[in-house]
Amino acid sequence: MAIWSRFEIGVKLVPAQTIAFCRDMLRGNEKTRIFSKKLQLLSDITGVVRPGVLTALMGPNGAGKTTLLGVLAGRKTIGCIEGEIRVGGCPKVQETFAKISGFCEQTDIHSPQITVEESLIFSAWLRLPACIDSKIKTFGCKCCSIVVRAAKNVADTGRTIVCTIHQPSIDIFEAFDELIFLKTGGSLVYFGPLGQHSSSVIEYFESIPGVPKIKDNCNPETWMLDVTSTSVEAELGIDLAKIYKNSALYGSNKQLVMHLSTPPPDSRDVHFPT
């Protein structure tokens, strides 16, 4: 069963911080005008995530990665959320979806006086029983790739997993099957397979005129963040979101979305007895 089989999303939020107050003095009376500004966080995001596929969600800071996960999980309740989300071809029902999905947020707070590794070790000592050997408790903290391998094993059981990752090593990055890449402003610039040794991603971006080729022994994730930056777009005079919308990859993705928008024959929506 596909957890998030289809999504077409645009999000506009109106945070309280964007409300400005302007006072005009007219005839000795003070008047207050309130202006609200809509902040576009996601723009025309269309894609599919499927069971058995480990998907990486990436992009620079402020690209809308956390917002997209929050919308898909049903955690975003403010602002204007436009579009459609289908599960197994049927419109998503949040009450049912919440029972079959899990969402791990980035809420951990680390002390600036210790490293992240030390924070993880401290957490392991607090959470794991005293009967567990200390070496076993800290082993996972020293091999963060264990987390990705565990997620991969879960995906192999037929479940759908989407992970946001930051600055991964080559080994961790290439453990994923597909990539959703957002640029600053919440637009989609790539959605598709990574390919062996990131070949599919590299081939796509290198095919764009003017984009610098990847150098030998360069981390594909680091190179991708560099060549999709707003400064490179401005220098080359291109819009990577528009290039993606005009690509054959986008066309095939749209066909896949349409194919998965209809429930399979003899299937029914996920439900639980009342």
Side-chain angles (χ1 to χ4, degrees):
M1 178 191 67
I3 297 299
W4 299 324
S5 65
R6 171 189 175 184
F7 49 90
E8 294 184 359
I9 302 170
V11 176
K12 295 180 181 179
L13 300 183
V14 188
Q17 295 92 321
T18 64
I19 298 178
F21 294 86
C22 178
R23 295 177 177 175
D24 293 333
M25 302 300 294
L26 298 176
R27 297 181 182 178
N29 296 324
E30 184 179 55
K31 290 188 176 183
T32 303
R33 295 202 302 258
I34 302 178
F35 301 94
S36 63
K37 179 182 178 182
K38 286 187 177 181
L39 179 63
Q40 186 83 33
L41 299 183
L42 295 174
S43 178
D44 193 17
I45 306 296
T46 299
V48 174
V49 285
R50 293 163 291 170
V53 177
L54 183 60
T55 303
L57 173 59
M58 301 184 65
N61 293 332
K65 303 182 295 296
T66 302
T67 300
L68 176 57
L69 286 180
V71 170
L72 292 175
R75 299 295 182 89
K76 290 294 182 182
T77 57
I78 62 173
C80 176
I81 302 176
E82 303 169 339
E84 181 182 41
I85 303 176
R86 287 179 172 263
V87 181
C90 300
K92 189 186 84 165
V93 178
Q94 181 59 31
E95 291 77 10
T96 303
F97 184 75
K99 296 181 180 180
I100 62 173
S101 63
F103 182 38
C104 300
E105 298 186 73
Q106 295 176 281
T107 55
D108 288 341
I109 300 176
H110 300 284
S111 170
Q113 280 74 38
I114 59 177
T115 66
V116 174
E117 179 183 350
E118 290 169 337
S119 296
L120 292 173
I121 293 174
F122 178 68
S123 178
W125 275 90
L126 291 178
R127 295 170 186 269
L128 298 177
C131 60
I132 297 179
D133 185 81
S134 60
K135 293 182 179 180
I136 297 178
K137 286 182 180 180
T138 59
F139 176 73
C141 299
K142 295 183 181 298
C143 303
C144 295
S145 60
I146 289 180
V147 177
V148 178
R149 286 202 296 268
K152 181 67 173 176
N153 291 336
V154 173
D156 289 341
T157 64
R159 290 172 172 82
T160 304
I161 299 182
V162 182
C163 301
T164 301
I165 55 175
H166 301 273
Q167 297 180 324
S169 66
I170 294 178
D171 292 337
I172 291 178
F173 181 62
E174 294 182 347
F176 288 84
D177 302 306
E178 293 192 345
L179 171 67
I180 301 174
F181 194 86
L182 305 177
K183 77 170 188 175
T184 302
S187 297
L188 192 61
V189 297
Y190 183 86
F191 170 57
L194 262 70
Q196 187 175 13
H197 304 304
S198 306
S199 58
S200 297
V201 174
I202 294 173
E203 180 182 358
Y204 174 82
F205 284 109
E206 284 190 339
S207 67
I208 300 175
V211 171
K213 307 296 182 182
I214 190 171
K215 298 180 180 180
D216 293 338
N217 300 321
C218 178
N219 188 328
E221 183 268 348
T222 303
W223 170 79
M224 189 172 54
L225 284 174
D226 291 339
V227 300
T228 59
S229 64
T230 53
S231 60
V232 171
E233 279 190 307
E235 180 182 348
L236 299 178
I238 60 175
D239 186 334
L240 291 173
K242 289 184 178 180
I243 292 176
Y244 169 72
K245 284 292 185 65
N246 294 323
S247 68
L249 177 62
Y250 176 75
S252 62
N253 286 336
K254 286 290 288 185
Q255 291 180 358
L256 180 61
V257 166
M258 296 305 297
H259 173 69
L260 295 178
S261 295
T262 303
D266 301 325
S267 67
R268 60 177 180 173
D269 196 6
V270 180
H271 68 284
F272 297 93
T274 57

